Amino acid sequence: MGVTYVSQWNIPEGKNIQQGVEELQNKAEKLGAKKCGLFVVECESFHSTNAQNLKTLHTIHNSEYPASRFACFEDGSFLVTDVMLGTFLSKLRSVWQPKKGGKIESKGQRYEFGDFIIKIGIVSMGPSTKGIALELEYAPCRFPLDCWELMTEMLHELIDDQAPASLPQVIAQKPDANLAELTALQYIRLFNNLRKASMNR
Amino acid sequence: MYAKLTFSMLVAGMHPGSGMTEQNDKISIASLSENKIQEISYDGQETYFKPFTLSESLTDLANRINFLNEDDNDCEDGEEEDPKGFHQAKQWPWRDIHSHLQRALIEMNVLVDVISITQNKPTTLKDSAAESSDANRYLMYDLAQKDSEPTKPMLQLITKKKCLAGAAKILLNGYERLNKAWTETSGQISFHSALLKLRKCWRVRRVGDKIMGDLSYRTAGSNFWHSGAFEVIKRSGDDTDEESSYGSALPSRLKSPISVEVSSDLLGYAEIFVSVINLDVHRDSLPDDVSECFSLNFHDLMQSSVLRVNQPPWHQKLVNAQNVLFCKEFFTRLTKEAIQLRCRSLYSPFVIVGDTISALVFPHTQLSVHLRYKQKPLLDEKTGNSNIKSLFSFKHTLLQLLQKDHSKQLNIPTPHPTSAVLGLTPEMRHASIQPWSSMQLDTTLKRDDDSLAEAMVKMAKHYEVRRRLAKVIKMILNEYSDPDIQAHWLTLSNQYESCVRMTMASFGYEACHRTVFQATAMADKVKFLHREGKIVFVEVDESCIYKYLVTLISGHQTLTLDKLARNMGWNVLQVTPRSGIDFNSSVINRGSLVASSPSFDSYVGIVCSTTYQGTVEYDVKVKYTKSPENKSTKTSKDPELLAMQFDKYMSIGGIWQKVNWQKIYGRNFINKVETLLTCLVNYD
């Protein structure tokens, strides 16, 4: 329930995804982070059947918010619902149809390091793995601008050269938004990027 | 009168006619029609009623006479003879007259008799006999007979007896019948009234031809398997005698027409016995149990005889049965929870053997819950064990938790909006769209279902911690008299936390410095809150608490010295209440103070150190910067003050010298230091 930063971690040359994850986990453990269970973030995308209005709807399930589901439209509107969202959408099948290969998830180990929560996940689409997602959360703070310096410092420790230079665009655009929403939006962006990357490949 | 007149008129009417005709004067006299005209025919002829013949007219006239109205006796008598002739001739028309006359005669006779009696009283028997022989007399004077000749007394007695016996038999029969009817009806009434009374306290309903009651807590939300049913039986007269053995102790007026039949497993007495046992102390000699017997039982109430007398026996029986049911339900529930509970704070898992659940809450402290179930009252046993201290909070909290759980079963919050999932609180429903993180959800859910077993473990731990804290405080108070220590247990506490506020001050120097802190005994630690806002959590081990308190004492002494030195105008060069290290390895904390006299010619270094043995040791040293000549004079002046051999050290100068602390005058440590400082200043 804190400020969260989500990004893709590029695997160093000559290593596969598993080795990359292990490297990152080692780094986190060396810092002193403690293993604290598993996490999963699932994303399922839907497209509208209306030909004129070709929009995409992403639904996110984050294990950090087990009672909630998030729905994000491409135009930026965002919805927080309870667990019945999936059933509800299946009833609206005539309007929203699941995209082919629309299911993508990030799964992995969750670490706690003082007030920080580090999540290192492998992004996979069905059977194929797409990359490594890193999530850093600073639990006590709710205002991204206030703790960004602290988080950057932490990120430098974790992923020294891949640390972001500035505030991510999603957070910068709406710094006052709900933190869960910001997390979900960052994940959607990450998943979209990974999807595109795999398409291009 | 009337009869006489008519008679004379009749005679006069006859005479004129006859008299006139005999005289010479011719006077034609046509007699007027004396007869009544019966009818006049159309030709003018009149038909008359035929005139009465003499006898007929006499009869007619006689008929008109009312003899009873006659006053005159003579007239009557005169006429008495006349009708007889007619009577014989023509019987029917005279009958009335006959009867009238006869009646009159009788009346006359009676009158005559009365008169004669009133006039002359016959006094003798002869007269009366003569009178009685006279047939014409209607009334006579008859003397009452004197009592007849005496009959045989025995016979009379027997007959009397027989008659009385018969009467008595009838009366007794009637009494018996009435009595029977009365008892029957009265029994009926009291049965119903007793049933009414029973219904005021217990749920009773009719099943078929039986009256069944319900003891269970189902309506309160309990889910226990036992139905808790009892049957209400009307007790007839025969049963009362049989059961009198049961109720012999009770006064007879309490024999109620109702008896209750409870299922056999609810008979007897039960209670739940919670105890916190200190195992290592137990092994020595003094059992230091902290126990609590509790049940929903009205044991406390039962002890007062007033209530006992006023309660009907069935009420007592039902109360006991319900209590047994409650204890069983509670114990079953606790057992279930204890099996499921994975309590990290426990030193050993729950062990359930028979009617006992036990667990180690601390290495040497055992919590055990025992279900006592016996056929006889348990009161004696309870009172016999004198070293049992009572834990009120246990009973209260556990009952409250159970009740809360029960009410949760009953009161499901209505879904709002109506389409929402049933059984979720509004808070939970909003949790999903807030959105709440898993941590928030966890804390909320945990807060909601605090299980009985967990609560009990927590309470037991708290109790033990509080006991230890109290013990340590008592020890400290006994051992340390130098700073005065006061402890106030606050009344504001709950079942999981209790507070003690402590104040330390040196006698006579209270205004100088005062250490105030608050110790909170929690479930698994002791929290010390200091005045400056510092919070220290201390382990619950007795020695840990003790050492911490000793550290506080030495810190208090150091701080008081600091204040004192400043007040006296000394320059405090350095003060450390808690430095934590010392050259000596047996010291766990070292508070130190270094001060110089106002003119900087002497220095005082005081060390208050706490050792591992839990004692406070003071080490006071003095250093002079003055020339040794002056010192020697001082030593000669006051050899007691500085026991060190000055001459030797003074020549060197600037060497710390130990003060012979025992010999310094003073009531307590601070007082001694004041003496020392004063002396050193005076020296100048």
Side-chain angles (χ1 to χ4, degrees):
Chain A
M1 200 55 192
V3 178
T4 314
Y5 168 75
V6 182
S7 84
Q8 188 190 351
W9 188 66
N10 298 319
I11 311 151
E13 293 281 322
K15 279 187 180 171
N16 62 16
I17 286 179
Q18 197 55 45
Q19 285 168 328
V21 168
E22 272 170 24
E23 192 190 323
L24 205 55
Q25 283 180 351
N26 281 339
K27 263 188 185 173
E29 274 166 37
K30 265 181 197 167
L31 279 173
K34 281 173 186 159
K35 272 187 190 178
C36 224
L38 300 169
F39 84 98
V40 62
V41 180
E42 290 170 343
C43 174
E44 192 173 358
S45 302
F46 297 80
H47 64 83
S48 72
T49 49
N50 191 349
Q52 295 165 354
N53 186 15
L54 273 174
K55 272 200 287 186
T56 316
L57 166 71
H58 303 284
T59 63
I60 291 264
H61 170 223
N62 191 343
S63 61
E64 194 72 11
Y65 303 96
S68 313
R69 299 287 181 275
F70 308 99
C72 177
F73 296 91
E74 262 188 350
D75 57 357
S77 49
F78 193 83
L79 207 64
V80 184
T81 70
D82 62 4
V83 290
M84 304 302 279
L85 178 68
T87 349
F88 179 64
L89 278 173
S90 71
K91 288 199 173 170
L92 290 177
R93 209 172 297 149
S94 55
V95 187
W96 294 104
Q97 279 191 339
K99 258 190 183 174
K100 256 184 198 173
K103 273 188 184 173
I104 187 164
E105 62 175 14
S106 166
K107 242 184 196 174
Q109 196 75 42
R110 182 174 182 273
Y111 289 90
E112 273 182 18
F113 177 44
D115 289 334
F116 289 100
I117 298 167
I118 305 158
K119 291 174 183 170
I120 301 160
I122 300 170
V123 183
S124 56
M125 219 167 111
S128 60
T129 50
K130 301 286 176 194
I132 298 170
L134 175 76
E135 182 189 330
L136 180 74
E137 181 179 341
Y138 182 63
C141 187
R142 298 179 65 95
F143 304 101
L145 295 174
D146 291 349
C147 64
W148 182 246
E149 297 295 316
L150 199 63
M151 288 184 73
T152 344
E153 208 171 304
M154 183 68 201
L155 284 166
H156 274 292
E157 291 285 324
L158 262 177
I159 41 167
D160 33 35
D161 51 338
Q162 291 187 29
S166 63
L167 207 63
Q169 202 193 343
V170 176
I171 301 175
Q173 276 170 0
K174 21 173 141 175
D176 300 328
N178 194 320
L179 293 167
E181 179 184 338
L182 289 181
T183 313
L185 287 174
Q186 288 184 76
Y187 265 109
I188 288 167
R189 179 159 295 214
L190 169 75
F191 289 149
N192 281 345
N193 286 343
L194 283 171
R195 265 191 205 133
K196 272 177 201 162
S198 68
M199 295 272 275
N200 294 340
R201 205 179 287 165
Chain B
M1 275 301 266
Y2 176 71
K4 213 188 208 172
L5 202 82
T6 4
F7 198 70
S8 57
M9 282 260 302
L10 198 73
V11 173
M14 301 283 269
H15 278 284
S18 60
M20 286 294 180
T21 47
E22 280 174 14
Q23 285 173 3
N24 292 334
D25 305 341
K26 245 191 171 177
I27 303 164
S28 89
I29 296 167
S31 68
L32 290 168
S33 64
E34 287 176 17
N35 301 323
K36 277 185 181 171
I37 295 164
Q38 193 180 15
E39 88 181 307
I40 301 166
S41 59
Y42 293 113
D43 56 353
Q45 202 168 349
E46 296 167 339
T47 43
Y48 303 99
F49 282 106
K50 277 182 183 169
F52 285 135
T53 58
L54 193 63
S55 68
E56 271 173 351
S57 62
L58 190 61
T59 316
D60 182 42
L61 287 171
N63 266 336
R64 287 183 196 170
I65 298 166
N66 188 357
F67 290 99
L68 286 176
N69 278 353
E70 221 57 47
D71 291 335
D72 233 339
N73 272 345
D74 308 343
C75 182
E76 253 184 77
D77 287 340
E79 282 181 42
E80 207 174 68
E81 314 301 327
D82 294 338
K84 274 191 178 171
F86 292 102
H87 186 66
Q88 280 160 355
K90 201 179 181 182
Q91 201 180 7
W92 188 244
W94 293 102
R95 199 175 201 176
D96 275 354
I97 296 160
H98 171 77
S99 61
H100 282 314
L101 287 176
Q102 214 164 18
R103 236 188 291 162
L105 181 66
I106 292 167
E107 275 177 22
M108 284 305 296
N109 280 341
V110 168
L111 201 63
V112 168
D113 286 354
V114 167
I115 289 163
S116 71
I117 284 169
T118 49
Q119 271 182 346
N120 38 3
K121 259 188 198 167
T123 45
T124 54
L125 269 172
K126 263 188 185 174
D127 292 347
S128 63
E131 275 176 30
S132 62
S133 58
D134 190 357
N136 290 333
R137 292 201 68 141
Y138 288 86
L139 280 176
M140 63 186 110
Y141 209 86
D142 192 10
L143 285 174
Q145 272 193 344
K146 295 269 169 71
D147 40 356
S148 54
E149 68 262 46
T151 47
K152 289 170 189 172
M154 269 309 284
L155 193 75
Q156 210 176 10
L157 204 69
I158 288 165
T159 45
K160 259 186 190 170
K161 216 175 164 185
K162 259 188 183 173
C163 291
L164 282 173
K169 202 180 172 187
I170 290 165
L171 282 174
L172 277 174
N173 247 341
Y175 163 75
E176 216 164 88
R177 235 183 253 178
L178 275 174
N179 208 18
K180 203 175 165 187
W182 182 78
T183 45
E184 214 164 78
T185 50
S186 70
Q188 203 81 3
I189 287 164
S190 64
F191 170 75
H192 287 306
S193 65
L195 196 63
L196 202 70
K197 215 170 163 189
L198 186 122
R199 281 196 61 182
K200 274 182 191 167
C201 308
W202 306 96
R203 268 197 316 285
V204 180
R205 68 183 189 282
R206 198 174 156 163
V207 180
D209 54 348
K210 287 176 181 173
I211 303 171
M212 301 296 286
D214 188 9
L215 284 174
S216 71
Y217 291 92
R218 210 147 292 184
T219 45
S222 155
N223 275 336
F224 194 51
W225 58 271
H226 202 289
S227 68
F230 68 91
E231 191 184 342
V232 181
I233 297 166
K234 183 183 174 183
R235 218 195 274 177
S236 59
D238 309 332
D239 296 341
T240 324
D241 301 334
E242 280 170 27
E243 295 220 0
S244 59
S245 59
Y246 163 73
S248 56
L250 298 162
S252 58
R253 65 192 175 86
L254 277 184
K255 281 174 192 163
S256 75
I258 276 183
S259 70
V260 288
E261 197 70 42
V262 183
S263 71
S264 60
D265 53 344
L266 292 184
L267 288 171
Y269 299 84
E271 64 184 18
I272 287 179
F273 189 79
V274 181
S275 53
V276 181
I277 306 164
N278 214 337
L279 291 174
D280 53 342
V281 181
H282 209 76
R283 225 171 282 147
D284 300 342
S285 59
L286 185 79
D288 195 17
D289 287 15
V290 178
S291 310
E292 163 79 324
C293 290
F294 83 93
S295 46
L296 246 198
N297 211 330
F298 302 99
H299 268 324
D300 320 336
L301 293 178
M302 270 166 66
Q303 278 164 351
S304 64
S305 54
V306 181
L307 273 172
R308 205 180 203 175
V309 164
N310 288 333
Q311 276 170 356
W314 47 259
H315 186 72
Q316 205 56 57
K317 201 173 170 187
L318 289 179
V319 164
N320 278 337
Q322 193 172 38
N323 181 48
V324 172
L325 183 71
F326 167 77
C327 288
K328 281 192 170 175
E329 176 180 353
F330 186 84
F331 195 77
T332 315
R333 201 189 145 84
L334 206 61
T335 316
K336 213 161 87 185
E337 275 181 8
I339 293 168
Q340 289 169 351
L341 184 70
R342 275 186 230 127
C343 197
R344 247 185 267 163
S345 54
L346 280 177
Y347 284 81
S348 76
F350 274 108
V351 179
I352 301 158
V353 182
D355 283 348
T356 313
I357 304 176
S358 58
L360 282 178
V361 287
F362 285 118
H364 291 295
T365 310
Q366 191 189 44
L367 165 74
S368 82
V369 183
H370 181 54
L371 172 69
R372 286 185 185 175
Y373 179 57
K374 277 184 185 168
Q375 295 296 328
K376 283 179 195 168
L378 299 155
L379 283 173
D380 317 336
E381 212 174 299
K382 199 173 124 190
T383 46
N385 205 344
S386 60
N387 53 28
I388 286 177
K389 294 168 210 159
S390 195
L391 281 169
F392 295 109
S393 57
F394 267 79
K395 179 175 181 177
H396 184 249
T397 312
L398 292 176
L399 285 180
Q400 212 173 25
L401 278 172
L402 194 68
Q403 200 181 15
K404 202 170 146 194
D405 202 70
H406 280 170
S407 70
K408 212 188 277 174
Q409 299 273 350
L410 283 184
N411 307 323
I412 299 164
T414 47
H416 181 81
T418 44
S419 59
V421 184
L422 197 75
L424 281 181
T425 58
E427 204 181 19
M428 297 273 290
R429 281 198 298 275
H430 290 147
S432 61
I433 53 162
Q434 287 289 344
W436 276 13
S437 68
S438 52
M439 207 171 26
Q440 280 172 300
L441 284 171
D442 276 355
T443 48
T444 317
L445 290 177
K446 241 182 212 164
R447 198 178 59 210
D448 274 1
D449 40 60
D450 206 0
S451 72
L452 289 178
E454 230 169 299
M456 202 150 70
V457 168
K458 214 170 161 189
M459 274 189 290
K461 285 184 130 188
H462 164 66
Y463 195 87
E464 176 63 15
V465 171
R466 192 176 62 177
R467 191 191 64 80
R468 285 182 187 179
L469 182 62
K471 194 177 160 192
V472 168
I473 288 173
K474 208 179 261 179
M475 266 163 66
I476 290 274
L477 291 179
N478 285 341
E479 280 176 31
Y480 288 91
S481 56
D482 190 351
D484 290 336
I485 304 168
Q486 292 172 327
H488 299 282
W489 285 92
L490 302 189
T491 47
L492 283 173
S493 65
N494 64 10
Q495 59 266 47
Y496 306 128
E497 272 184 27
S498 50
C499 270
V500 57
R501 186 173 176 277
M502 293 180 73
T503 311
M504 288 181 191
S506 298
F507 180 76
Y509 299 88
E510 287 92 349
C512 202
H513 182 68
R514 206 183 258 269
T515 305
V516 183
F517 61 93
Q518 182 179 300
T520 312
M522 294 160 98
D524 38 20
K525 57 195 166 213
V526 183
K527 184 175 98 175
F528 284 92
L529 171 66
H530 293 270
R531 193 192 246 169
E532 63 265 28
K534 192 170 70 180
I535 295 174
V536 177
F537 288 102
V538 177
E539 285 297 307
V540 291
D541 196 40
E542 275 174 32
S543 62
C544 281
I545 302 171
Y546 185 82
K547 276 174 193 164
Y548 184 72
L549 284 175
V550 172
T551 316
L552 286 179
I553 288 173
S554 74
H556 165 78
Q557 298 286 49
T558 320
L559 287 171
T560 315
L561 286 181
D562 175 34
K563 285 274 172 64
L564 181 75
R566 283 176 204 277
N567 287 351
M568 292 178 73
W570 282 60
N571 308 304
V572 177
L573 303 176
Q574 179 261 354
V575 59
T576 326
R578 282 171 281 274
S579 64
I581 45 159
D582 193 70
F583 309 114
N584 193 341
S585 60
S586 69
V587 170
I588 51 171
N589 182 47
R590 186 173 174 276
S592 64
L593 173 107
V594 178
S596 70
S597 66
S599 52
F600 293 99
D601 51 0
S602 59
Y603 290 82
V604 173
I606 303 171
V607 173
C608 305
S609 50
T610 319
T611 61
Y612 274 107
Q613 284 79 40
T615 53
V616 177
E617 285 177 357
Y618 304 109
D619 187 19
V620 184
K621 284 175 180 166
V622 176
K623 185 173 90 169
Y624 295 96
T625 52
K626 282 269 175 178
S627 57
E629 295 85 46
N630 296 334
K631 296 290 172 315
S632 57
T633 52
K634 167 72 187 160
T635 9
S636 58
K637 265 184 198 168
D638 191 1
E640 281 186 1
L641 180 62
L642 300 173
M644 311 291 290
Q645 293 184 340
F646 275 98
D647 310 340
K648 204 162 76 183
Y649 294 101
M650 284 304 126
S651 56
I652 302 163
I655 295 260
W656 289 99
Q657 304 154 54
K658 192 161 186 171
V659 180
N660 189 345
W661 199 242
Q662 303 297 325
K663 293 197 172 176
I664 289 192
Y665 170 78
R667 197 168 171 172
N668 53 24
F669 174 69
I670 302 294
N671 205 342
K672 282 183 180 182
V673 171
E674 193 192 357
T675 315
L676 175 72
L677 294 185
T678 319
C679 287
L680 288 174
V681 171
N682 281 350
Y683 179 72
D684 296 324

